[in-house]
Amino acid sequence: MRDEMNLDVLPPEKKKATAKDRVEPEELALRKDRQKLQNNARKLLRADQLARKRNQEQAARNAAEANRLAEQRSEAAPALAAAEELAKRQGDSQGAERLKGLRERLKRSQGHSTAVRAPRTAPIAQKASLAVDAAFKAIEGDER
């Protein structure tokens, strides 16, 4: 062929790499499936990490809210007792009974776990605060 066509052709050489040139279809499908599984695993891992981070942030917010509510409860109890005594001295038995009921509800809520009871005690603390404010407004701040 070299002589007749005057081509500069080299003799064949052996391959440097011994790997196969062709990949079987089954092997190619397995590789693609493995790659998809790895990608899905990465996505799930990332989603799990984000969910854990969100859960930790929510737990921190819940703890801060529980502390705030416990603070409100501890401030409300003495104020309720003082307002109840003031209502009794002024002869407002209905107001005194209402304040006593609020104080009892506040005591009962303190015995429970704040993480469970925190959302339920918020209205009680608000009612107690409003009742104390109303009692002090009734006497126009004389005994503050």
Side-chain angles (χ1 to χ4, degrees):
M1 190 165 151
R2 263 182 292 171
D3 295 339
E4 283 188 31
M5 298 182 78
N6 295 327
L7 293 177
D8 190 25
V9 177
L10 299 175
E13 296 179 9
K14 291 197 171 208
K15 290 185 179 179
K16 294 178 184 174
T18 60
K20 294 194 288 183
D21 290 338
R22 183 179 186 286
V23 177
E24 295 295 324
E26 295 82 10
E27 178 68 25
L28 183 61
L30 281 174
R31 287 181 188 176
K32 286 182 180 180
D33 287 345
R34 282 189 193 126
Q35 186 62 39
K36 284 180 187 177
L37 286 174
Q38 288 174 349
N39 290 340
N40 287 341
R42 279 190 211 105
K43 287 178 185 177
L44 289 173
L45 180 63
R46 180 70 179 144
D48 182 54
Q49 289 170 342
L50 290 173
R52 286 176 188 269
K53 184 178 178 182
R54 276 194 310 268
N55 287 346
Q56 288 172 346
E57 290 168 355
Q58 185 63 43
R61 284 193 298 270
N62 289 347
E65 180 69 10
N67 289 338
R68 186 185 66 78
L69 291 172
E71 232 177 80
Q72 284 180 347
R73 234 189 344 251
S74 67
E75 292 171 1
L80 278 174
E84 183 183 349
E85 287 299 317
L86 181 63
K88 283 180 184 177
R89 277 187 274 145
Q90 290 181 343
D92 184 11
S93 61
Q94 186 180 10
E97 285 299 314
R98 191 176 66 205
L99 289 167
K100 182 179 179 182
L102 286 173
R103 195 163 45 97
E104 291 300 318
R105 285 178 59 193
L106 188 63
K107 279 184 186 177
R108 283 194 306 264
S109 70
Q110 285 178 339
H112 298 308
S113 169
T114 52
V116 174
R117 297 291 292 179
R120 292 184 180 172
T121 59
I124 295 170
Q126 290 171 350
K127 286 180 185 177
S129 177
L130 291 174
V132 169
D133 289 344
F136 281 121
K137 281 181 184 178
I139 60 164
E140 296 182 6
D142 290 340
E143 292 194 25
R144 258 193 187 185

